[in-house]
């Protein structure tokens, strides 16, 4: 077909038709190349990641005054993080640190635990291993949430009677809140509490190791716990952990025992000082809720019964690793009420029998025990 006929049929200029016929490919829109918005910040992001490979994108954005969207920053940090060569800290930590440091992490037994009401699940175990002597401490946690892991480590630190000057964490398997403010349950709060007591907190990044302390402890516990072993209750798991620890330490020679004695004396926060990590950790859950129509308050996956004194009231609920405390926000139904329940490891339960119910009289301020919730 002649070019003029094509131009007449398509409503185009003949020269335009000639140019299109001679073109090697179909025409398409081409945008002139320009550098990405992250280009001026790439060197600064890499420098911050080299200083601390586990640094979050939110913290990097605050330091470099990131002008664009947070999603773009997270994508850029994720792209650059693999380019950072993480130094292996074995040579720095193991030979140079004085006695009194420890490694912490999780171990997950193969056998399930009967947590109540016919429910069975695998419960994580928090491990803490002394860096010089290899002393092992272990405690089962309600869940793998950082708040519950922190509470379990709090008990282990009290068993040792002090806090190491350096705590090296393996964060694998620990559930950390995704929101940045984390309300006292995130690593930033943990690190701040530790640094107030002059304790350094470091993390084992993926693909790096500091020593084989945690690996040795996990191998020992895995060998001591058969795959078909199940536990009748959380207390049964705690008793088994105690037995395995005693067997592990019974095989020590006098030299390791002396090293642990020297290491224990080097811990922070003994009788002469109060280390912040030896204080009760922040409440893993602290909320203000109103009971439902049946009088139950939802906390940590279960429903806890509240009496008529709490009906149509905003109540304060605090959850620790062992207790659920429900308090009135003021003088309700003749006084200030505090109801304490044992925290249930099971889920979707209705708990109706409290450990205790305390009432403070509004006029005299006298405390007395009350029956029921």
């Amino acid at each position: 077909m002649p070019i003029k006929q094509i131009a007449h049929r398509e409503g185009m200029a003949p020269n335009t038709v000639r140019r299109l016929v001679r073109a090697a490919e179909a025409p398409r829109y081409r945008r002139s190349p320009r550098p990405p918005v992250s280009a001026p910040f790439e060197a600064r992001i890499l420098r911050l990641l080299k200083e601390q490979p586990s640094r979050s994108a939110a913290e990097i954005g605050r330091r470099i005054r990131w002008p664009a969207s947070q999603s773009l920053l997270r994508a850029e940090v994720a792209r650059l993080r693999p380019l950072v060569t993480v130094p292996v800290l074995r040579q720095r930590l193991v030979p140079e640190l004085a006695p009194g440091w420890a490694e912490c992490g999780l171990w997950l037994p193969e056998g399930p635990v009967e947590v109540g009401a016919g429910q069975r699940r695998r419960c994580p175990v928090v491990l803490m291993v002394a860096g010089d002597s290899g002393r092992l401490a272990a405690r089962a946690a309600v869940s793998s949430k950082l708040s519950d892991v922190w509470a379990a480590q709090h008990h282990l630190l009290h068993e040792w009677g002090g806090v190491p000057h350096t705590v090296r964490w393996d964060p694998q398997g620990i559930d950390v809140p995704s929101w940045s403010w984390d309300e006292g349950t995130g690593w930033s709060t943990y690190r701040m509490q530790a640094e107030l007591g002059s304790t350094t907190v470091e993390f084992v990044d993926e693909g790096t190791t500091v020593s084989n302390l945690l690996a040795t402890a996990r191998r020992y516990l895995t060998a001591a716990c058969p795959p078909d072993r199940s536990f009748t209750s959380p207390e049964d798991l705690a008793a088994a952990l105690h037995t395995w620890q005693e067997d592990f330490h019974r095989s020590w020679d006098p030299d390791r025992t002396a090293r642990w004695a020297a290491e224990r004396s080097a811990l922070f926060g003994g009788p002469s000082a109060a280390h912040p990590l030896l204080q009760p950790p922040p409440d893993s859950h602290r909320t203000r809720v109103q009971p439902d129509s049946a009088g139950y308050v939802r906390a940590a996956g279960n429903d806890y019964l509240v009496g008529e004194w709490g009906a149509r009231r905003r109540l304060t609920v605090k959850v620790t690793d062992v207790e659920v405390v429900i308090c009135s926000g003021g003088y309700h139904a003749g006084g200030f009420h505090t109801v304490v329940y044992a925290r249930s490891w099971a889920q979707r339960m209705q708990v109706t029998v409290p450990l205790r119910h305390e009432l403070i009289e509004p006029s005299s301020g006298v405390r007395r025990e009350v029956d029921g919730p």
Side-chain angles (χ1 to χ4, degrees):
M1 181 180 293
I3 290 179
K4 291 185 178 181
Q5 289 186 10
I6 296 175
H8 178 74
R9 179 178 174 179
E10 300 295 333
M12 303 170 62
N15 289 338
T16 303
V17 176
R18 291 188 182 94
R19 187 176 68 253
L20 295 177
V21 170
R22 295 167 184 167
E25 59 181 5
R28 61 186 179 89
Y29 173 74
R30 297 179 184 274
R31 189 175 182 177
S32 57
R34 60 177 182 177
V37 68
S38 60
F41 302 92
E42 183 171 329
R44 298 171 63 186
I45 294 175
L46 285 172
R47 178 174 56 82
L48 291 173
L49 288 176
K50 289 179 180 179
E51 293 176 359
Q52 183 179 338
S54 60
R55 198 186 300 271
S56 66
E59 183 179 354
I60 292 175
R62 289 192 296 268
R63 288 176 174 266
I64 66 176
R65 298 183 181 274
W66 178 256
S69 67
Q70 292 298 311
S71 59
L72 182 60
L73 173 62
R74 288 193 294 269
E76 184 66 15
V77 172
R79 183 183 69 84
L80 296 176
R81 197 183 297 275
L83 303 180
V84 178
T85 302
V86 181
V88 178
L89 301 177
R90 179 187 302 271
Q91 299 300 324
R92 180 173 66 87
L93 276 178
V94 178
E96 297 182 7
L97 280 185
W101 64 281
E103 286 189 5
C104 301
L106 293 185
W107 171 65
L108 193 62
E110 291 291 337
V113 181
E114 296 279 353
V115 294
Q119 300 182 24
R120 307 176 69 198
R121 62 181 176 88
R122 299 172 67 188
C123 297
V125 175
V126 180
L127 304 180
M128 188 164 64
V129 187
D132 187 53
S133 63
R135 177 80 179 188
L136 172 63
R139 183 182 177 91
V142 181
S143 71
S144 59
K145 293 181 179 179
L146 176 57
S147 55
D148 293 324
V149 173
W150 186 350
Q153 193 211 27
H154 172 256
H155 293 283
L156 298 180
L157 292 174
H158 273 276
E159 288 183 12
W160 281 9
V163 182
H165 61 74
T166 301
V167 178
R168 184 73 175 172
W169 272 98
D170 178 7
Q172 184 177 2
I174 300 178
D175 184 12
V176 183
S178 58
W179 49 89
S180 58
W181 52 92
D182 70 42
E183 296 187 1
T185 59
W187 282 121
S188 58
T189 304
Y190 179 90
R191 187 193 295 270
M192 180 184 68
Q193 293 287 91
E195 291 177 350
L196 287 175
S198 301
T199 292
T200 302
V201 179
E202 298 180 341
F203 297 92
V204 178
D205 296 287
E206 185 177 1
T208 65
T209 58
V210 179
S211 70
N212 60 353
L213 294 175
L214 271 180
T216 301
R218 287 166 175 158
R219 285 196 300 268
Y220 167 75
L221 292 174
T222 301
C225 179
D228 57 348
R229 168 71 185 271
S230 60
F231 304 93
T232 58
S233 64
E235 291 76 15
D236 184 26
L237 174 58
L241 289 172
H242 179 74
T243 302
W244 295 333
Q245 292 176 72
E246 291 298 320
D247 293 342
F248 179 74
H249 299 142
R250 195 175 294 116
S251 61
W252 278 13
D253 53 33
D255 177 63
R256 293 187 69 177
T257 304
R259 283 158 56 192
W260 165 239
E263 196 165 28
R264 192 170 187 177
S265 63
L267 300 178
F268 291 146
S272 60
H275 195 285
L277 289 183
L278 290 177
Q279 308 303 314
D283 300 320
S284 59
H285 309 280
R286 184 187 181 98
T287 57
R288 288 182 57 83
V289 298
Q290 182 173 329
D292 59 17
S293 58
Y296 286 94
V297 169
R298 173 61 60 90
N302 296 295
D303 295 325
Y304 295 87
L305 183 63
V306 177
E308 294 182 358
W309 60 269
R312 298 178 299 279
R313 302 277 188 172
R314 297 282 292 181
L315 308 179
T316 300
V317 181
K318 297 181 292 184
V319 180
T320 68
D321 60 325
V322 294
E323 291 181 340
V324 175
V325 183
I326 305 173
C327 305
S328 53
Y331 286 101
H332 296 173
F336 187 88
H337 296 258
T338 301
V339 182
V340 181
Y341 284 94
R343 181 176 178 181
S344 174
W345 286 41
Q347 296 290 299
R348 301 178 298 278
M349 297 288 296
Q350 288 188 342
V351 187
T352 60
V353 181
L355 295 176
R356 61 184 182 275
H357 181 179
E358 186 181 78
L359 172 63
I360 303 178
E361 299 289 350
S363 56
S364 62
V366 176
R367 297 173 179 266
R368 61 185 180 89
E369 294 289 333
V370 181
D371 295 332

